[in-house]
Amino acid sequence: MGIDEDDVVVIQVVKTMKCNVSMEENITAMVMEKMNFTHPDEVSSGKPLADLGLSEIDIYDLIVHLEDMYDITLDNSAGEVGGYSVDALSQNVKGKLIRKPQEVPNWKDSFEGLVFNGITKKLRTPMSVHLDLTFRCNMKCVFCYDSAGPDRSKHEMSIEKVYEIIDECKKLDVIDVTFGGGEPFIRKDLIDVITYTKRKNIRYFIITNGTLITEEIAFKLARVFDHRYDKIQVSLDGPTAEVHDRQRGVIGGFDLTMKGIDNLQKAGISPTINAVLTSNNYPHIKDMIPFLMDRGISNFRVLRLHPLGRGKDPEFYKKWNVTPEQSEELFEYLMGKQQELIDRFAISNDFASIFPWSAAKFRNDLQSLPGVEPVSYACGAGTTKIAIGPEGDVYPCSYMYDFPELKIGSIQNGTIQELWEREKLWDMYREPLTPSGKCGKCDYLYCCKTGCRIVSYALFGDMAGPDAGCTYEPGLKE
């Protein structure tokens, strides 16, 4: 369904209100409207709403509005609602938001759980496909794991071939397709590809630097964007041009990215902002939260630096990576902010900013089990998802493009289904590992599984070796 500019104004007001004010301020504003109060001081945050003059119907209406706004169900009964105060109602909503990930079934976790819990080695078909349409890029990020840039090969699949892949994704019940690069908007046919994908009722996720998103492109995207399922992630590494442009390798990139973000917001799309954590932007990551909130952006993700692509050089990785102490301090800060701002600003809970088992705060919530192996060593690579490069090469994961020896095959010479079912090609990803190095004696191996296989492979040539981000030393007293 299309979206016109009048609709966009309403969407933006709602999103800005939710992002820029606290839960208590939201509820107070609703009470003021119902009671025709003119000043917030007339609403005592600790006083029961019934004592402020709200009827039971008014209070139920308030609760329903909050449930719709935050997509939750509050616990209440007819005899209790009158006793709610602004503070009590706010805490009830926040508590529900904190517990929501554990209480609400997640299709992705459910399907991946079949593999990760050892029930099956792989799903019948991949549920996610990462489709990189190009390695060309108008930026030259210092750490790009694809080593993308303006001089990369233009030997890319035709739009007809891309449509064939989308058709097979539909046939195989693939749930979502991620479009990345390079910079996917360099391809002039990207909107056509996205539109075709939505016609097949497949969810999409775009990873972009945002610099090529004009108003026209943003409004075309909005016509095929489902706020419930589709996502657009924009890379922004800092709150200033100095910080961002140094990492992205192009002067003026910050301004172009901010313009692209603004165009998306005008079209009613609120993107997720992703920052790659380095020694360069570490001092500025905390400043990103108010910077984004002030602009009505409510989704933020921090990704740790990986020793892949341009970041593979050991000296580069050492220079640009943060220290273990900085990594852990920032991780704890982000997790604290995640709960503090849960009603108005979402910080990704995928632990992408750190190798989680390096953080004592994370390990303290786990049981130490020396010698216990995981029920499955599998990650999603080659078990629940695949990646397809611009020329049609198929890999278990998009992080593997730098290693041609890990290629499974080519979509130019067969179908996704044919490659998926050739078990021998996938032994390295679907069969158990034999942990090496310190992993073999680690008391958290049962949940860590040695970390990211490709990061271990990049550093040690061994997928069973320790993750590059792991700073935990088994056997040392903490």
Side-chain angles (χ1 to χ4, degrees):
M1 184 174 67
I3 185 168
D4 61 41
E5 300 204 22
D6 291 333
D7 296 328
V8 171
V9 172
V10 175
I11 291 170
Q12 282 307 109
V13 169
V14 171
K15 286 188 177 296
T16 302
M17 177 186 73
K18 183 177 175 182
C19 187
N20 287 343
V21 301
S22 69
M23 177 77 67
E24 292 81 0
E25 291 170 319
N26 261 338
I27 297 174
T28 296
M30 294 176 200
V31 172
M32 288 176 62
E33 183 179 356
K34 287 186 176 295
M35 297 304 299
N36 292 319
F37 291 156
T38 59
H39 198 278
D41 289 346
E42 296 179 77
V43 182
S44 172
S45 61
K47 194 172 184 178
L49 297 178
D51 292 351
L52 292 173
L54 269 72
S55 69
E56 194 168 278
I57 291 176
D58 285 334
I59 298 171
Y60 271 121
D61 185 56
L62 187 64
I63 289 171
V64 169
H65 188 81
L66 289 168
E67 289 178 332
D68 288 344
M69 177 180 285
Y70 296 106
D71 193 24
I72 56 173
T73 301
L74 294 174
D75 301 320
N76 59 73
S77 64
E80 296 174 341
V81 293
Y84 266 135
S85 64
V86 170
D87 286 343
L89 190 53
S90 173
Q91 290 306 310
N92 193 338
V93 174
K94 287 182 179 179
K96 275 290 181 179
L97 289 172
I98 291 171
R99 296 190 300 273
K100 185 178 177 181
Q102 287 77 44
E103 294 178 350
V104 178
N106 179 295
W107 63 266
K108 187 172 184 290
D109 291 344
S110 298
F111 281 120
E112 287 184 334
L114 295 173
V115 174
F116 300 165
N117 293 321
I119 298 170
T120 182
K121 290 183 180 180
K122 65 174 178 65
L123 298 182
R124 177 180 59 85
T125 60
M127 67 175 184
S128 297
V129 172
H130 188 113
L131 182 52
D132 286 311
L133 298 174
T134 181
F135 283 150
R136 290 177 291 147
C137 188
N138 57 336
M139 298 283 110
K140 198 164 185 181
C141 304
V142 296
F143 42 64
C144 179
Y145 70 83
D146 285 336
S147 301
D151 54 348
R152 285 298 299 266
S153 171
K154 294 183 180 180
H155 296 296
E156 299 160 358
M157 290 182 288
S158 67
I159 192 170
E160 291 77 19
K161 188 62 182 180
V162 174
Y163 285 167
E164 285 181 25
I165 294 172
I166 300 301
D167 286 340
E168 189 178 6
C169 286
K170 174 64 176 177
K171 180 181 177 182
L172 297 178
D173 297 321
V174 169
I175 296 173
D176 61 45
V177 175
T178 295
F179 295 99
E183 170 48 50
F185 283 100
I186 274 187
R187 286 204 42 156
K188 304 301 183 184
D189 54 10
L190 179 63
I191 297 295
D192 294 329
V193 171
I194 297 296
T195 302
Y196 191 82
T197 302
K198 291 307 292 183
R199 264 192 227 131
K200 300 297 178 178
N201 202 27
I202 298 173
R203 304 172 184 181
Y204 70 85
F205 183 10
I206 301 175
I207 301 174
T208 174
N209 60 41
T211 59
L212 302 178
I213 301 178
T214 62
E215 278 195 34
E216 180 184 5
I217 287 174
F219 275 90
K220 285 181 178 179
L221 273 175
R223 295 189 188 102
V224 290
F225 187 82
D226 188 324
H227 291 268
R228 297 168 301 171
Y229 307 123
D230 302 327
K231 290 182 173 58
I232 298 178
Q233 177 179 291
V234 179
S235 300
L236 184 67
D237 287 335
T240 66
E242 181 183 6
V243 175
H244 175 82
D245 290 354
R246 186 176 181 221
Q247 296 197 180
R248 296 291 160 175
V250 174
I251 301 299
F254 176 83
D255 292 335
L256 290 172
T257 293
M258 292 306 301
K259 182 62 177 175
I261 291 170
D262 183 55
N263 288 335
L264 287 171
Q265 290 181 292
K266 285 178 182 176
I269 297 173
S270 183
T272 294
I273 301 302
N274 182 77
V276 176
L277 177 61
T278 68
S279 56
N280 172 62
N281 69 353
Y282 165 76
H284 309 280
I285 291 294
K286 294 177 184 178
D287 297 334
M288 287 290 285
I289 295 174
F291 176 82
L292 296 174
M293 292 180 72
D294 287 347
R295 287 156 179 78
I297 299 168
S298 56
N299 293 283
F300 183 43
R301 180 175 186 256
V302 180
L303 177 67
R304 65 183 169 119
L305 183 66
H306 290 306
L308 302 169
R310 291 197 192 102
K312 191 166 58 173
D313 177 74
E315 288 304 312
F316 173 92
Y317 184 67
K318 182 179 179 181
K319 176 184 175 182
W320 282 79
N321 201 18
V322 295
T323 67
E325 293 76 20
Q326 290 172 332
S327 178
E328 186 162 354
E329 185 272 334
L330 183 63
F331 171 75
E332 292 189 12
Y333 177 84
L334 291 174
M335 292 304 97
K337 282 294 181 182
Q338 184 186 69
Q339 295 217 354
E340 176 190 334
L341 302 173
I342 195 163
D343 56 323
R344 50 199 157 128
F345 189 78
I347 297 174
S348 173
N349 62 356
D350 62 359
F351 305 121
S353 68
I354 191 174
F355 182 70
W357 293 272
S358 292
K361 185 181 179 75
F362 187 85
R363 292 195 304 274
N364 289 342
D365 293 332
L366 301 170
Q367 190 176 1
S368 174
L369 298 173
V372 176
E373 293 194 70
V375 292
S376 168
Y377 279 96
C379 68
T383 62
T384 68
K385 66 181 182 181
I386 62 166
I388 302 174
E391 296 183 26
D393 294 334
V394 177
Y395 288 80
C397 171
S398 61
Y399 280 177
M400 298 180 179
Y401 292 145
D402 232 16
F403 305 95
E405 69 272 21
L406 301 181
K407 185 174 81 170
I408 296 299
S410 173
I411 206 71
Q412 306 283 12
N413 304 320
T415 66
I416 295 173
Q417 181 77 67
E418 289 167 351
L419 289 171
W420 188 256
E421 292 179 351
R422 291 173 64 185
E423 292 293 339
K424 284 297 180 186
L425 295 175
W426 305 91
D427 280 352
M428 199 181 300
Y429 315 102
R430 295 175 181 172
E431 296 299 326
L433 297 171
T434 302
S436 60
K438 64 181 180 180
C439 296
K441 57 184 178 181
C442 183
D443 32 346
Y444 297 102
L445 174 64
Y446 73 97
C447 54
C448 159
K449 305 181 182 183
T450 78
C452 177
R453 294 186 183 202
I454 188 57
V455 169
S456 301
Y457 187 82
L459 283 183
F460 309 113
D462 179 7
M463 290 195 179
D467 189 287
C470 182
T471 58
Y472 176 66
E473 292 297 332
L476 291 183
K477 290 187 178 181
E478 298 187 74

